[in-house]
Amino acid sequence: MMIELREVSKTFTLHNQGSAVIGVISNVSFTVAPGECVALTGASGAGKSTLMRMIYGNYLTQSGEIRIGDVDIVQAEPREVIALRREVLGYVSQFLRVVPRVPTLDVVADPLRALGVSGADAHSRAEELLRQLNIPERLWSLSPTTFSGGEQQRVNIARGFAHAYPAMLLDEPTASLDAANREVVLTLIEAAKARGAAIIGIFHDEAARARVCDREIDVSCFTPGLAA
Ligand code: ADP
Ligand code: ADP
């Protein structure tokens, strides 16, 4: 699948500051080919997370075109966005957000169940990922809400990679992981690329970025509001 941004811009209106308008992203255009991983770089506050949220269709008003395959998520109806996120566009956010009391195994298996995969198949895929990511089996029946930061991050990764999404957004997927688990995540990313996924990621870890990313896009080049 291909991800294509054309002349994408985003401003925020600061209602607590006399409705001042700040431009965060201005005229970004780039394409991510199937099997390619592109890193968003730039200092804190440059707009990396904002751009990721735009590509995920989080903002109602934004200008330009953001094509995920043949769907422009800027123009898509809410139900199309929901279907796109379920089937096509995966998003591994920085922090795990879950419904309380849902067991870890279901947290990971649920994206597959939502696609119509049987309970048994979804659970076996979830088990495979949890094992790969070194989440001890005794934790699988517990909710991840009380897990350590690193464990939650690994559950988050397992859920994000349960389905073979053709397009993926990764927000710091290797942050707070030890070397062994970072290696597992990088291997999952390489496998996703090998099957043709188009990936956009934020990686503060330079070694990780150098290994899995084919190109870098410096988001601070597109943030005129911050240059002043
Ligand atoms: P990065 O991920 O590169 O650190 P962000 O995308 O989080 O940067 O933030 C880019 C800029 O946009 C920052 O100046 C931030 O304060 C601002 N910003 C982000 N979201 C909002 C919002 N909802 N309202 C106002 N400003 C915002
Ligand atoms: P993340 O999910 O990446 O931790 P946040 O959404 O919490 O990021 O915030 C990203 C940046 O945007 C931060 O600098 C935050 O202060 C700023 N920000 C978020 N929402 C607003 C807002 N409504 N007004 C101003 N700044 C905001």
Side-chain angles (χ1 to χ4, degrees), residues 132-134 154 157 173-190 203-209 211-212:
Q132 262 182 291
L133 286 154
N134 303 299
R154 283 179 277 140
I157 304 273
T174 55
S176 72
L177 297 184
D178 58 36
N181 284 307
R182 187 168 60 234
E183 184 60 32
V184 175
V185 174
L186 296 178
T187 305
L188 287 169
I189 295 170
E190 285 169 342
F203 295 89
H204 284 168
D205 173 6
E206 255 174 71
R209 183 163 77 219
R211 180 156 139 208
V212 294

Side-chain angles (χ1 to χ4, degrees), residues 14 49 53 94-95 97 171:
L14 304 179
S49 305
R53 290 188 200 108
Q94 244 181 306
F95 301 102
R97 293 177 188 87
D171 192 347

Side-chain angles (χ1 to χ4, degrees), residues 81-164:
V81 174
I82 290 166
L84 193 76
R85 289 174 175 184
R86 189 167 51 222
E87 293 154 23
V88 172
L89 181 60
Y91 182 31
V92 177
S93 64
Q94 244 181 306
F95 301 102
L96 179 70
R97 293 177 188 87
V98 294
V99 178
R101 295 191 296 277
V102 176
T104 295
L105 194 62
D106 291 316
V107 166
V108 177
D110 280 347
L112 291 170
R113 299 301 308 279
L115 284 163
V117 174
S118 75
D121 288 350
H123 276 170
S124 74
R125 172 70 178 145
E127 286 171 9
E128 179 191 5
L129 280 159
L130 289 169
R131 215 168 261 130
Q132 262 182 291
L133 286 154
N134 303 299
I135 301 290
E137 199 167 335
R138 65 184 160 76
L139 298 181
W140 296 358
S141 58
L142 306 176
S143 162
T145 44
T146 58
F147 291 4
S148 74
E151 286 165 345
Q152 292 199 15
Q153 177 65 355
R154 283 179 277 140
V155 172
N156 200 28
I157 304 273
R159 181 171 62 174
F161 282 86
H163 172 50

Side-chain angles (χ1 to χ4, degrees), residues 1 52-60 62 68 71 73-74 76-92 110-112 114-115 159-160 163-169:
M1 174 148 304
M52 291 277 250
R53 290 188 200 108
M54 290 170 74
I55 299 167
Y56 202 55
N58 277 6
Y59 298 112
L60 275 181
Q62 57 188 35
I68 317 293
V71 175
I73 203 162
V74 177
E77 297 295 327
R79 68 170 61 239
E80 278 183 279
V81 174
I82 290 166
L84 193 76
R85 289 174 175 184
R86 189 167 51 222
E87 293 154 23
V88 172
L89 181 60
Y91 182 31
V92 177
D110 280 347
L112 291 170
L115 284 163
R159 181 171 62 174
H163 172 50
Y165 296 99
M168 296 190 83
L169 304 174

Side-chain angles (χ1 to χ4, degrees), residues 209-225:
R209 183 163 77 219
R211 180 156 139 208
V212 294
C213 297
D214 303 286
R215 270 188 302 141
E216 296 185 5
I217 294 197
D218 184 353
V219 173
S220 53
C221 300
F222 307 105
T223 53

